[in-house]
Amino acid sequence: MLKEKKNWRSYLFNIWKKYHGQLLSNMLTVGLVSLLVKGISFFKEIIIADTYGVSELLDTYLIAVLVPSFVQNVFIGSYNSVFIPNYVAEKNENKNIAAFQGSSFIITASLALLLMVITYIGIDFYLEVLFPGHETQYYQLIKVQLWVILPCMFFWAVSSLISGLLMVEDEYLHSSLQGLFVPVSTIIFLVFFHERFQEITLALGMLIGSALSLIYLLFVGFLKNVIHISKPSFESRNIKILLQQFPAKISSGLIHGLNPMVDQFYSAKLAAGAIASLNYGSKIPVVILGLISIPVGSTLLPYFSKKSLEGSKELFKNLKKVLAAGLGFGSLLAILLIVFSKLTISLFFERGTFTSSDTNQVYVIQQMYLIQIPFYISAIVMNKYLNAINKNNFLVLSSVVNLILNIILNYAFLKLMGIKGIALATSIVYLVNALIIYLYIKKTHTNKITS
């Protein structure tokens, strides 16, 4: 019996070692912190549901935060995706990483400030085009909350860059902990200051949390000696590659980031509260996807970036193993969550102004969103693979296909199924997206072998 236990332990150790112990350790670290962050974030959503229910005020907040979040995901997230692989290459070549960091901080800060100005100037046009037909008070509520949230765009941009530096140095714990500040701050404002700040409570929670997150990352960055800023230089080969890849990554992120806006555009055509129903229906899927895709995506980008310097053959083998595991696990998880969808909505949201009638509407929306889980995970993994090898151009084409497909499916399914059709359209888009990217990667890899 003792021998069998030793053999079993030895078998587990060999599996750990075989599949890169450091990578799995990093995934576990990010996963555990993400579980904590998502748990607190989900508790925040429960308090929001209890406070606002499915209301027009919550609709206006979700629209107000949509543009800053869109900018963060598309522009700032895009820069971080091309920064990490090229920063790794710069370090590997023993070049001047301080100048590289200096250039990157200037690019990031300038981009954030420019986008803040564009958002401020263009908000009226954006609201009139995408959300027409509402009263003046509705638009004013959106703009009041947006003015509070706007500085977050700068905080998020600099935070994203410092977080990337920490991840390159395998400081995943400290990088991940910064996600706690916004949900904790929002909860504090909801519980203690809602009566005082009324309609801007959620926006203030986000603003203060984002500022504290940046302060924390700056402190950790200097403490861990990962921030080295000197006179910027744009002559480095890697910074030139970064700047060449950036437009392609922005374009793909921009097009892909339009999908939530398309969803809200169609849902806004329905009765008041439709956007909030869509929001509640996506909450649990978003939490689940975050708990999986955040540790996977965060750790795989630096990992793929480092491995790409050693050649593509082993890298592609590892990609296939990760994809197979993600697809299998994601499928089982999606089935389980779909079966218990109504129970989870009732358990977590049905209180206060959120009634059983709301549950009956929202749980079906949630089921439609849950279908995407295995395909979303696969797409995240493959996107990081392409980011790491500076193959961002193809992501532009795949994003165009996704956007066109999303518009078509939203239009068709909204007529056939109502608000839940928008959620189903999202899941189908991710299925097609994952398939397209995999076929491209496989073709690219085959061409490399045969050439």
Side-chain angles (χ1 to χ4, degrees), residues 218-293:
L218 284 168
F219 174 77
V220 172
F222 284 111
L223 182 67
K224 294 294 181 178
N225 199 32
V226 301
I227 299 178
H228 306 280
I229 303 176
S230 68
K231 183 179 178 181
S233 171
F234 297 92
E235 298 303 318
S236 164
R237 181 179 67 89
N238 294 305
I239 201 75
K240 289 179 180 178
I241 294 174
L242 182 155
L243 293 173
Q244 290 169 0
Q245 290 291 314
F246 191 35
K249 183 59 183 173
I250 280 185
S251 298
S252 64
L254 177 62
I255 298 166
H256 181 73
L258 289 172
N259 285 312
M261 292 188 177
V262 171
D263 293 348
Q264 291 203 6
F265 170 76
Y266 280 100
S267 61
K269 293 179 176 294
L270 301 176
I275 297 177
S277 295
L278 202 66
N279 175 64
Y280 285 123
S282 69
K283 284 303 175 185
I284 291 177
V286 166
V287 170
I288 297 299
L289 289 172
L291 288 173
I292 299 171
S293 63

Side-chain angles (χ1 to χ4, degrees), residues 14-30:
N14 288 334
I15 290 178
W16 177 272
K17 187 175 180 182
K18 180 180 179 182
Y19 291 103
H20 310 284
Q22 184 62 51
L23 174 63
L24 292 176
S25 176
N26 291 337
M27 285 187 180
L28 181 61
T29 298
V30 179

Side-chain angles (χ1 to χ4, degrees), residues 112-124:
L113 293 172
L114 174 63
L115 292 170
M116 286 172 62
V117 172
I118 292 173
T119 302
Y120 181 85
I121 295 173
I123 187 62
D124 287 320

Side-chain angles (χ1 to χ4, degrees), residues 281-339:
S282 69
K283 284 303 175 185
I284 291 177
V286 166
V287 170
I288 297 299
L289 289 172
L291 288 173
I292 299 171
S293 63
I294 290 175
V296 170
S298 297
T299 55
L300 280 180
L301 180 55
Y303 171 74
F304 283 155
S305 299
K306 294 171 184 177
K307 289 297 180 181
S308 65
L309 302 174
E310 303 173 8
S312 62
K313 189 174 181 180
E314 287 299 317
L315 185 59
F316 184 69
K317 286 183 180 179
N318 290 329
L319 172 67
K320 291 196 295 183
K321 290 173 183 177
V322 174
L323 281 177
L327 192 61
F329 174 74
S331 299
L332 291 174
L333 183 63
I335 292 170
L336 181 65
L337 291 172
I338 287 171
V339 171

Side-chain angles (χ1 to χ4, degrees), residues 355-374:
T355 66
S356 58
S357 176
D358 296 324
T359 296
N360 290 332
Q361 179 180 6
V362 170
Y363 93 87
V364 181
I365 296 173
Q366 178 177 267
Q367 287 179 325
M368 299 298 103
Y369 273 124
L370 289 169
I371 296 171
Q372 73 181 290
I373 288 178

